[in-house]
């Protein structure tokens, strides 16, 4: 059974949110896709930062690490979720 964590889009920087909004998901640095018009969903890849070597999305990699450390397989970033302690807010 897969576990999903819902996180606020406020845990992503404006630059990352803009990138995810205007770039086709097939060009994202990891597996994911849009979630309607309110956010994005990702497979948690705790090794993404090392695999892709892209520091541009460091808050996304931090969210992956947080999810993996807490036993989650998927992240849904949604604009109606409240921010949580333990992750930066932008």
């Amino acid at each position: 059974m897969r576990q999903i964590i819902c996180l606020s889009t406020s845990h992503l920087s404006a630059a990352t949110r803009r990138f995810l909004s205007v770039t086709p998901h097939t060009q994202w640095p990891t597996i994911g896709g849009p979630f309607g018009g309110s956010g994005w969903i990702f497979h948690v890849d705790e090794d993404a930062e090392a695999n892709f070597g892209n520091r541009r999305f460091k808050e996304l990699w931090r969210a992956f690490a947080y999810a993996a450390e807490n036993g989650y397989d998927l992240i849904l970033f949604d604009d109606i979720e409240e921010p949580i302690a333990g992750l930066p807010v932008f």
Side-chain angles (χ1 to χ4, degrees), residues 25-26 28 30-34 40-43:
H25 73 278
T26 56
W28 291 0
T30 189
I31 298 170
W40 305 277
I41 191 163
F42 290 94
H43 163 73

Side-chain angles (χ1 to χ4, degrees), residues 3-5 44 62-73 84-87:
Q3 298 293 319
I4 187 167
I5 185 172
V44 173
R62 177 64 192 113
F64 283 3
Y66 178 89
E69 290 164 5
N70 289 284
Y72 293 99
D73 304 296
I84 62 166
L87 289 174

Side-chain angles (χ1 to χ4, degrees), residues 13-90:
S13 69
T16 296
R17 291 191 309 265
R18 190 171 29 262
F19 174 86
L20 296 173
S21 293
V22 301
T23 306
H25 73 278
T26 56
Q27 296 176 17
W28 291 0
T30 189
I31 298 170
F35 183 74
S38 64
W40 305 277
I41 191 163
F42 290 94
H43 163 73
V44 173
D45 183 352
E46 64 271 18
D47 298 322
E49 182 177 17
N51 290 341
F52 294 101
N54 188 337
R55 303 236 181 257
R56 176 179 176 194
F57 302 104
K58 65 182 179 180
E59 78 280 6
L60 183 58
W61 311 144
R62 177 64 192 113
F64 283 3
Y66 178 89
E69 290 164 5
N70 289 284
Y72 293 99
D73 304 296
L74 300 166
I75 297 176
L76 169 60
F77 286 101
D78 196 334
D79 63 4
I80 62 169
E81 296 296 326
E82 293 294 322
I84 62 166
L87 289 174
V89 174
F90 297 89

